[in-house]
Amino acid sequence: NIEHFIFSADLRTANKYLSKYSRLMNITLRDADKASRTIDEEIEYVNLYLELEKMRFGDKLEYFITIDKKVDTKKEIPNMLLQTWVENAIKHGLRNYQGIGRINIYISKKDESTIIQVEDNGIGRAKAKQLKTTGTGSGLKILTEHIEIYNHFNPRKAIITITYLTDNEGNASVTRIEMSIPDDYQFNINTSK
């Protein structure tokens, strides 16, 4: 993308992109060894990532981040959770979508848990499989394995669900991935117990 902006003589945009990308990489390196970070930190990170993708896709991408006022934004959630889900949504759902791709991130409270959702209006799982947009799946796999490990050390479990919604004609309309994290969930585990 930076190369594209430079070759098209859009040096101002190239500089802006490079600055955002540099900030994203700094955060990635700073938090590389962390199991979790606060919702505030994760939102800052995914917002930077989405700003870069917006520069790439232009008017073909919209995104919205909604955080319920009841949510404690200092609560820890898995590191790279939102970015991994959003990257997947763009790669498999929106890249080949013909209309305006939308990503909605919702963070809310329900009972004694924080609910994190990422939705996209892309092409859906079946079409993505048909177009062979599927990659290695490593990001989701690693994230799921980490959650399984943390679940082992927590009495109340974090739960991930994926929902594929269709319209009245049976066409894919929304892909939603959701995680419910109990309020007392811990990422700093003591393996000596």
Side-chain angles (χ1 to χ4, degrees):
N1 287 330
I2 295 167
E3 212 172 70
H4 165 75
F5 294 133
I6 290 170
F7 286 134
S8 64
D10 191 350
L11 299 180
R12 184 178 176 147
T13 305
N15 188 42
K16 188 176 175 184
Y17 193 98
L18 189 57
S19 176
K20 287 180 185 295
Y21 182 74
S22 174
R23 175 78 181 124
L24 189 75
M25 289 303 100
N26 283 336
I27 295 171
T28 302
L29 293 172
R30 179 195 73 196
D31 293 349
D33 61 345
K34 291 183 180 178
S36 61
R37 58 181 162 205
T38 67
I39 290 171
D40 279 336
E41 291 168 329
E42 187 70 8
I43 289 294
E44 175 193 10
Y45 187 79
V46 79
N47 199 51
L48 265 173
Y49 177 79
L50 281 164
E51 286 174 9
L52 288 170
E53 291 293 3
K54 177 74 175 158
M55 290 176 77
R56 177 178 165 203
F57 287 99
D59 292 340
K60 286 195 52 96
L61 176 66
E62 295 179 345
Y63 65 92
F64 306 92
I65 301 172
T66 307
I67 304 172
D68 190 301
K69 290 178 184 173
K70 293 182 256 176
V71 170
D72 174 9
T73 58
K74 300 301 176 208
K75 177 172 179 48
E76 298 277 319
I77 63 173
N79 189 8
M80 302 283 289
L81 175 75
L82 289 173
Q83 189 277 333
T84 301
W85 287 357
V86 166
E87 182 179 353
N88 240 30
I90 291 171
K91 182 177 181 183
H92 304 302
L94 301 181
R95 184 182 293 159
N96 294 302
Y97 185 67
Q98 297 305 308
I100 297 172
R102 287 184 192 87
I103 292 184
N104 293 308
I105 298 172
Y106 302 104
I107 303 177
S108 59
K109 282 287 290 172
K110 184 178 179 185
D111 302 323
E112 295 179 8
S113 295
T114 300
I115 310 298
I116 299 164
Q117 292 180 334
V118 173
E119 292 182 349
D120 73 77
N121 69 332
I123 61 174
R125 182 179 180 204
K127 186 76 171 171
K129 199 171 186 177
Q130 182 186 358
L131 293 174
K132 299 184 177 164
T133 68
T134 54
T136 62
S138 342
L140 286 178
K141 184 178 178 203
I142 291 167
L143 193 57
T144 303
E145 287 171 357
H146 284 164
I147 298 307
E148 286 173 8
I149 292 168
Y150 291 113
N151 275 345
H152 180 73
F153 292 94
N154 281 278
R156 294 176 63 218
K157 311 305 180 196
I159 299 167
I160 297 175
T161 55
I162 302 175
T163 307
Y164 304 99
L165 303 175
T166 57
D167 61 20
N168 292 337
E169 285 82 40
N171 300 312
S173 60
V174 173
T175 299
R176 176 188 304 133
I177 187 163
E178 176 180 300
M179 183 174 189
S180 172
I181 307 172
D183 290 344
D184 57 354
Y185 201 82
Q186 296 294 314
F187 292 94
N188 297 321
I189 56 177
N190 184 353
T191 56
S192 61
K193 288 184 180 177

